Amino acid sequence: MIWNTKYETMPRKELEELQLERLKYQVARVYEKVPFYRQAFMERGITPSSIRSLADLARLPFTVKQDFRDNYPFGLLAVPMEQVVRLHASSGTTGKPVIAPYTAGDINMWAEVMARTLSCAGMTKNDIMQNAYGYGLFTGGLGFHYGGERLGATVIPTAAGNTKRQIMLMEDLGTTVITCTPSYSLTIAETALEMGVDLKTSKLRLGVLGAEPCSEQMRQEIENKLPIQAIDIYGLTEMVGPGVSVECPHKLGMHIFEDNFLAEIIDPLTGEQLPYGEKGELVLTTLTKEALPIIRFRTKDITSLNPEPCKCGRTLVRMSKITGRTDDMLIIRGVNVFPSQIESVLLEVEGVEPHYIIVVDRKRHMDTLEIQVEVSDEVFSDEARKMEELEKRLMEEMESTLGISPVIKLIEPKSIPRTVGKAKRVYDRREL
Ligand code: AMP
Ligand code: ZN
């Protein structure tokens, strides 16, 4: 179901006119209200009247995460503090968090894009949505909460964690939609199994799973273990939180709500814009945010854009699944390796579980790559020969995909600690 036909199916030409009008307004606002932007524009000889077409976007300076740090906590605010009704913060674990202030108008826009998101994912007002994203400073919990209510569904704010109780409620209350990170959905599946609960006979039918990368192979694992369609959703604190883009049931890329977020793809090395279809860094500009308008934010997320109309009827551009982050790329013995490649290879092979960690280290001036992956109960209790075969198979597959040979360590099922939010899978112990 399309929640907002006007904006989600607008002919692209009309949409671009709307985007230009909104961009002009945002540029004028930040020029006037935010000293950081005024200065950055002045250094480039840009004034609000410089923006005459969407192509002029490329002339505007980028905003990067460091700019949020340098202006912490309220330096980028474009409204007086008395108009701010809520503050969230990024989930980042190092340094100062990114602070996200919202006006009442921003909260309203957020609920709107989240209602569209859930509707796009296939949810209706008749659904019972169990929201197992973290509540609190993290944008996930309240973002989904408001969206579910705006849609008219029944929202159960369980938040992340307390998995056994989560499963009990799921059965007792007849939950049809689960919202959480992909990794937490696997924890739920595993815990249900331990409890002897068969979720396949429950009413569960849909998962709106995001906030962290999830390869197609990982999606497959989730759909095999739970009776759900797993829909990918993307967002980030700097923009609004969840609500930037989401897949429709065709799973052919995530529709970006472009009347609110203007998307570009750039070459992360040169900063040049790349054409549709090419993979690069996603750059986003807010078009309707009041408290924290952001111009050309470099997300560091790697994706590509497809403007073709979708089978679902939406005209909104689609971004492909995130295949990595520019700062996630590991350079191991001079070879570029993305964790997502490793995940894809692992999950193609029978006998391993979707729980793994990647450890990079340096021993005697040589980089080492170790992949620890849990094996299934079956493989683990089988003869040692089976384990050796599996290890050899994984080694070969990794070598041919990555171009370097890792050490594969097959480990006991359930030995990697489970997380309730975003999973941490890469440990780079090199001191560079
Ligand atoms: P935060 O602002 O702390 O919620 O983190 C936002 C970041 O989470 C994004 O820039 C992405 O790197 C990551 N992220 C969010 N949603 C997804 C998704 N669906 N797939 C991959 N990465 C995601
Ligand atoms: Zn679609």
Side-chain angles (χ1 to χ4, degrees):
M1 264 274 289
I2 298 182
W3 178 253
N4 191 324
T5 326
K6 177 175 172 198
Y7 290 113
E8 295 181 72
T9 63
M10 204 176 240
R12 289 206 65 80
K13 197 161 167 296
E14 220 176 291
L15 178 66
E16 282 164 14
E17 280 163 20
L18 176 77
Q19 287 181 317
L20 177 61
E21 184 192 312
R22 289 181 171 180
L23 178 67
K24 283 181 179 171
Y25 178 69
Q26 287 280 351
V27 167
R29 264 190 79 228
V30 297
Y31 186 79
E32 188 191 331
K33 312 266 188 201
V34 187
F36 163 78
Y37 281 117
R38 176 192 287 265
Q39 196 192 333
F41 288 4
M42 282 192 337
E43 279 166 14
R44 284 166 184 74
I46 294 165
T47 62
S49 60
S50 315
I51 305 299
R52 286 188 213 95
S53 71
L54 281 182
D56 290 326
L57 182 64
R59 298 176 55 194
L60 295 173
F62 292 116
T63 308
V64 296
K65 206 149 200 146
Q66 188 60 38
D67 297 324
F68 282 81
R69 296 223 165 95
D70 295 344
N71 293 282
Y72 179 85
F74 300 126
L76 298 177
L77 195 61
V79 297
M81 197 64 192
E82 67 256 27
Q83 286 182 28
V84 172
V85 300
R86 193 180 317 154
L87 297 175
H88 278 284
S90 71
S91 52
T93 44
T94 51
K96 296 276 193 196
V98 167
I99 302 295
Y102 301 73
T103 63
D106 292 331
I107 297 283
N108 184 48
M109 176 275 277
W110 194 14
E112 155 76 20
V113 288
M114 279 308 295
R116 289 188 200 175
T117 292
L118 294 169
S119 185
C120 185
M123 195 168 128
T124 73
K125 64 181 173 43
N126 299 323
D127 275 301
I128 299 185
M129 170 183 127
Q130 188 158 328
N131 188 16
Y133 280 103
Y135 277 68
L137 283 175
F138 175 51
T139 54
L142 285 174
F144 274 83
H145 188 108
Y146 275 55
E149 288 190 352
R150 175 68 58 96
L151 186 66
T154 308
V155 179
I156 316 173
T158 49
N162 211 338
T163 312
K164 286 188 177 149
R165 187 149 169 270
Q166 196 93 246
I167 290 160
M168 179 191 80
L169 290 173
M170 202 173 270
E171 284 206 292
D172 295 351
L173 307 181
T175 299
T176 55
V177 178
I178 177 78
T179 56
C180 62
T181 58
S183 51
Y184 190 54
S185 75
L186 285 170
T187 306
I188 293 176
E190 195 172 75
T191 310
L193 212 61
E194 282 166 16
M195 291 164 69
V197 171
D198 183 6
L199 287 176
K200 296 224 159 113
T201 62
S202 73
K203 294 205 171 116
L204 210 55
R205 64 173 193 88
L206 175 65
V208 190
L209 313 177
E212 68 181 11
C214 174
S215 62
E216 279 301 341
Q217 291 82 354
M218 185 66 88
R219 183 204 321 256
Q220 209 52 59
E221 288 279 341
I222 295 169
E223 291 185 343
N224 290 343
K225 290 181 182 225
L226 288 170
I228 59 171
Q229 286 285 322
I231 296 292
D232 198 359
I233 164 174
Y234 171 86
L236 60 166
T237 311
E238 289 84 353
M239 287 294 113
V240 74
V244 173
S245 66
V246 67
E247 286 175 332
C248 66
H250 297 288
K251 298 178 181 161
L252 294 169
M254 295 182 272
H255 290 284
I256 302 179
F257 297 116
E258 288 175 283
D259 51 322
N260 299 289
F261 307 102
L262 180 53
E264 309 164 71
I265 298 291
I266 62 161
D267 176 330
L269 294 177
T270 65
E272 295 294 321
Q273 276 182 346
L274 294 175
Y276 284 133
E278 277 188 39
K279 230 184 213 190
E281 180 178 348
L282 177 68
V283 170
L284 292 169
T285 298
T286 65
L287 293 176
T288 50
K289 278 282 285 298
E290 294 172 351
L292 195 74
I294 297 295
I295 305 293
R296 301 193 87 198
F297 181 67
R298 292 190 61 157
T299 64
K300 298 196 172 175
D301 293 319
I302 301 167
T303 183
S304 61
L305 298 178
N306 174 3
E308 295 302 316
C310 182
K311 287 184 199 161
C312 69
R314 287 178 183 78
T315 50
L316 300 167
V317 81
R318 283 170 280 158
M319 57 185 263
S320 63
K321 261 182 175 303
I322 305 282
T323 52
R325 284 178 58 83
T326 54
D327 55 358
D328 256 7
M329 189 177 80
L330 297 160
I331 304 180
I332 303 169
R333 281 171 247 153
V335 177
N336 298 347
V337 174
F338 282 99
S340 59
Q341 293 174 292
I342 295 179
E343 178 173 302
S344 301
V345 174
L346 283 177
L347 300 186
E348 289 280 338
V349 175
E350 188 88 28
V352 301
E353 290 293 301
H355 301 283
Y356 66 94
I357 59 172
I358 299 167
V359 184
V360 186
D361 211 338
R362 179 163 291 171
K363 285 177 189 142
R364 280 187 249 117
H365 309 292
M366 259 292 261
D367 291 336
T368 58
L369 167 64
E370 180 177 291
I371 301 166
Q372 300 182 11
V373 62
E374 291 182 11
V375 293
S376 63
D377 280 317
E378 261 166 39
V379 172
F380 196 71
S381 50
D382 215 324
E383 341 154 24
R385 190 178 52 85
K386 283 267 167 64
M387 291 272 272
E388 279 162 28
E389 273 172 18
L390 184 58
E391 202 177 287
K392 188 156 164 280
R393 166 102 200 275
L394 283 169
M395 274 274 277
E396 286 168 3
E397 300 275 336
M398 287 293 170
E399 255 177 36
S400 80
T401 308
L402 306 178
I404 53 167
S405 46
V407 171
I408 304 281
K409 224 173 172 175
L410 300 179
I411 56 178
E412 198 174 337
K414 304 194 180 112
S415 50
I416 292 172
R418 304 293 188 251
T419 47
V420 298
K422 302 192 189 215
K424 176 166 169 57
R425 296 199 173 99
V426 180
Y427 296 84
D428 193 342
R429 300 197 172 128
R430 290 174 294 187
E431 281 171 25
L432 297 176

